[in-house]
Amino acid sequence: MNHGHARATAHANIALAKYWGKADPERNLPAVPSLSMTLDGLRTTTDVYFDTMLATDELVLDGVSVSGRPLERATAMLDRVRASADCATRARVESANDFPTASGLASSASGFAALAVAASRALGLHLEPGRLSALARASSASAARSIFGGFVALGAGASEAEAVAPPEHWDLRMVVAVTEPGPKAIGSTRGMDRTAATSPYYPVWLSAAPPIFEEVRRAVLAREIEPLGEAVEHSALLMHASMMAARPSILYFAPSTLSVIARVRQLREDGLPAYFTMDAGPHVKVLTLPRCVEQVENALAAQPGVHQTIRCGPGPEARAAPGTES
Ligand code: PMV
């Protein structure tokens, strides 16, 4: 028997000031402050059906039934929601992305944000955005930021993210260049643990990240693309430098990643505002302004090794779809 259903949507976010490393691995609290932009072009839609006939939770991702680690992580989130609602009923989760999951683009942020909203609504809980953000953060710290739209911060050691500015604040563009996938990447949690344990640059990262976060925050609030872009690239490269110096080294760069970065620098020499960032994968995300987005996207799409480009602007907060609760 079906006991509760809700549908929610959430959008992916890309950090302009990066999070890497945990202050408290047990509670999944970040060691450094981060600031992201929620992206309108990358959306996850998740349905949760609590059903007393189910013996275990079930997870269907983009139409395919999954088990193992992804199911365990979904169950851990559902357990937290069940504990809040004092409920033991198992659930079937159906989640779909409107962007290619197989491309290796991080879908965990939008996925856990959508799951936190859908699962809590399905059990009749009406949680504040801050509570939803804390729920999402326990699964994936970057997911805490996808609860909010526009520009979003997650402080060092913070349990929940907070909105810095709404999507209308600044009409920025982020073009995602999906490059060739390299060898299977190490997951972010393992990567962070190894960086913290073995990289001589990790303490440097920890002390440099907070002032970079402040620069990013200031430039976002002042809507100044040049200092923002400069700080965004510095944050990404400093984070990657700390990982590269781990033992064994963590290297997310593919050959095509470097050629896209070189192209971005060339675009800048030609006078275009274009700045890159990258996360725990080989893809490159390029920050620019609406008037240049066409030119930037065409230039990236023409690069060898770029499989696809996805154009994004500031996206909305995670929300339950009206009328789906039952
Ligand atoms: O929240 P996680 O475990 O997926 O880690 C995200 C880490 C980065 O994407 C590399 C940076 C960030 O702040 O999103």
Side-chain angles (χ1 to χ4, degrees), residues 183-207:
K184 192 164 168 31
I186 175 171
S188 57
T189 297
R190 271 185 62 215
M192 289 179 203
D193 287 351
R194 189 190 295 170
T195 307
T198 67
S199 173
Y201 293 164
Y202 185 65
V204 178
W205 163 249
L206 289 183
S207 61

Side-chain angles (χ1 to χ4, degrees), residues 15 18-20 34 108 140-142 145 188 192 239 279-280:
K18 300 295 182 191
Y19 143 64
W20 193 255
S34 58
S108 71
S140 161
S142 59
R145 302 185 307 237
S188 57
M192 289 179 203
M239 175 183 79
D279 295 284

Side-chain angles (χ1 to χ4, degrees), residues 156-221:
S159 162
E160 55 191 66
E162 55 189 27
V164 169
E168 318 74 72
H169 168 72
W170 191 8
D171 197 15
L172 272 181
R173 289 290 178 278
M174 179 91 77
V175 181
V176 180
V178 179
T179 62
E180 297 162 287
K184 192 164 168 31
I186 175 171
S188 57
T189 297
R190 271 185 62 215
M192 289 179 203
D193 287 351
R194 189 190 295 170
T195 307
T198 67
S199 173
Y201 293 164
Y202 185 65
V204 178
W205 163 249
L206 289 183
S207 61
I212 301 173
F213 164 84
E214 285 306 333
E215 280 179 55
V216 165
R217 205 169 105 91
R218 193 206 63 78
V220 163
L221 290 173

